[in-house]
Amino acid sequence: MKISKYSEMERKMIKADTGSVFAVSGPDIYQSTRLKDLMAEKFGNELKYDVLRLDGGELKEGDLRRYFLENSLFAPGKLLLISKCHNIGKAAQSELIRSLDEGLNDCALLLTSLKTPRESAVLQKLEKKMPFYICYEPFERDMPGWAARIASSENIKLSRETVQLLAGYSGRNLGRMSDAIIKLALYHGPGSTVDRKGLLEVLAGKDRADIFHLGDMIFGNRRGKALEAAWLLMRYGEDPNRLISYLFGQWQKVVQAMEIVESGGGKKKVANVTGARFPLLDKLMKYSRTACKVDPAVAAEAFAEADRAIKTGVDQLVLLARLIFTLTSGHL
């Protein structure tokens, strides 16, 4: 039974009890790890089950049958967390399917994999047997909701502008967003409401260049200021991968905004297409007028080249300068 929404899978796991079985697959590690931790918390801490962590590729004939049938000595039951379930061999598969058909006694089960059902025959079988959630990278429109969810779990609140900035900063990377929010929670403390200033204090430091300023300079077509900001960010140890990811996400939105405005569309359509809200929406409208018009294919190749350069050890400031020169024509 395929589950389409993370929140639905989360609710099912929160209500889970003895005999519950779930499968979580797909490339987004943050979501799968969060759901795995939820199961471990529910059964290990709340229900006091033994928690067994197994590798699907290491299961031999008879292993699963024994795990399912043996009683726990000091716990009311067992939770089996089986990773890499796409590697389960044929004999273990048969035992698993038979046990699922018969029902589990004093056990619960979570199967995980980084692959998807279209990549694995095992996962295709499991998808028909249990609640099955595929962890894809979220859509951009979902990122503000994720920011609120993660912030709530860390007991802080985010202003509307902070949510927008975090969504831009993270791209569609939930791990990056989570790391940033955890830093905000540690710095500002439980119960805090974090505004733009509070965000920049943590992600950039006081009175320092920040990643958002770099984007403003590039899409404001101010090459000199952009190069200066890039140099300062590198000096302060900013991760170039994060810079390129942020700039790529912003560039995609700027291109969309420019195309909409040039075709006669307005702010409302830009908001619908990009998912941006005030005040970032106003910035996008401004960028649509100020950003350098670059052939999308040329810009895309420049981003790809920057990514390759990082992996091959090219000087980080040099690769950023090349990217900035591609995206700008102004000299201020």
Side-chain angles (χ1 to χ4, degrees):
M1 177 177 59
K2 187 174 180 180
I3 306 298
S4 60
K5 294 183 179 180
Y6 176 90
S7 57
E8 182 181 354
M9 191 65 162
E10 189 177 49
R11 282 195 298 271
K12 286 182 176 293
M13 287 185 172
I14 290 172
K15 296 178 181 178
D17 207 338
T18 299
S20 295
V21 294
F22 300 98
V24 175
S25 78
D28 191 278
I29 296 174
Y30 178 82
Q31 292 180 72
S32 61
T33 300
R34 190 178 171 108
L35 290 171
K36 187 188 300 183
D37 290 345
L38 176 60
M39 283 289 284
E41 172 70 22
K42 169 74 178 184
F43 284 89
N45 293 341
E46 184 178 331
L47 300 180
K48 307 302 180 184
Y49 276 34
D50 286 334
V51 178
L52 306 180
R53 300 178 186 272
L54 309 171
D55 185 313
E58 297 177 359
L59 293 172
K60 303 296 189 294
E61 185 174 3
D63 287 348
L64 282 176
R65 195 72 175 167
R66 185 176 70 256
Y67 284 126
F68 288 139
L69 294 178
E70 285 182 349
N71 293 324
S72 296
L73 293 178
F74 305 106
K78 294 190 291 280
L79 168 66
L80 274 61
L81 300 175
I82 303 178
S83 63
K84 301 179 183 177
C85 62
H86 58 276
N87 287 334
I88 296 177
K90 289 185 178 180
Q93 281 184 49
S94 297
E95 289 179 358
L96 174 61
I97 298 301
R98 185 164 63 252
S99 296
L100 292 176
D101 289 340
E102 293 173 355
L104 304 182
N105 295 317
D106 301 326
C107 285
L109 173 66
L110 173 63
L111 298 145
T112 64
S113 170
L114 294 179
K115 294 186 178 295
T116 61
R118 64 186 175 201
E119 300 172 297
S120 166
V122 178
L123 296 180
Q124 290 175 16
K125 294 177 183 178
L126 296 178
E127 192 174 21
K128 300 173 183 177
K129 292 284 185 180
M130 63 188 70
F132 195 110
Y133 177 70
I134 304 176
C135 303
Y136 290 118
E137 193 176 59
F139 293 110
E140 287 186 11
R141 65 173 179 267
D142 298 324
M143 293 304 286
W146 271 105
R149 178 184 283 115
I150 298 171
S152 177
S153 68
E154 296 297 329
N155 195 22
I156 62 172
K157 295 181 180 179
L158 306 174
S159 71
R160 184 177 180 182
E161 183 178 8
T162 305
V163 168
Q164 291 290 312
L165 289 171
L166 271 173
Y169 171 81
S170 307
R172 293 164 61 190
N173 188 314
L174 288 174
R176 184 178 299 147
M177 174 176 278
S178 176
D179 288 345
I181 292 175
I182 289 172
K183 290 178 183 177
L184 292 174
L186 290 172
Y187 183 86
H188 293 288
S192 301
T193 298
V194 183
D195 58 12
R196 177 191 175 93
K197 182 180 177 182
L199 173 72
L200 295 181
E201 282 183 10
V202 174
L203 299 187
K206 293 182 179 180
D207 303 320
R208 276 174 36 180
D210 61 69
I211 194 171
F212 309 109
H213 175 69
L214 174 61
D216 288 342
M217 295 303 98
I218 289 176
F219 302 118
N221 202 23
R222 303 181 67 181
R223 178 180 290 173
K225 293 292 185 181
L227 290 169
E228 179 183 343
W231 180 82
L232 288 171
L233 286 166
M234 289 294 94
R235 179 183 174 188
Y236 290 126
E238 182 60 74
D239 180 2
N241 286 290
R242 187 155 48 221
L243 290 178
I244 292 171
S245 176
Y246 170 74
L247 292 174
F248 182 68
Q250 292 300 98
W251 170 73
Q252 290 179 307
K253 290 185 176 67
V254 170
V255 170
Q256 291 174 323
M258 292 173 73
E259 291 175 348
I260 291 169
V261 171
E262 288 176 359
S263 65
K267 183 183 289 189
K268 184 176 181 179
K269 187 171 183 181
V270 171
N272 290 337
V273 172
T274 64
R277 299 293 183 267
F278 176 84
L280 298 186
L281 178 57
D282 287 349
K283 280 194 174 184
L284 275 183
M285 297 305 294
K286 178 183 176 182
Y287 294 157
S288 71
R289 301 188 301 271
T290 61
C292 179
K293 291 181 173 59
V294 183
D295 186 320
V298 172
E301 178 56 33
F303 277 107
E305 177 59 32
D307 183 63
R308 287 193 294 269
I310 290 176
K311 294 179 174 64
T312 54
V314 174
D315 183 274
Q316 296 175 352
L317 186 56
V318 170
L319 69 88
L320 279 173
R322 289 174 181 168
L323 180 61
I324 289 169
F325 267 76
T326 299
L327 299 176
T328 61
S329 59
H331 297 287
L332 293 176

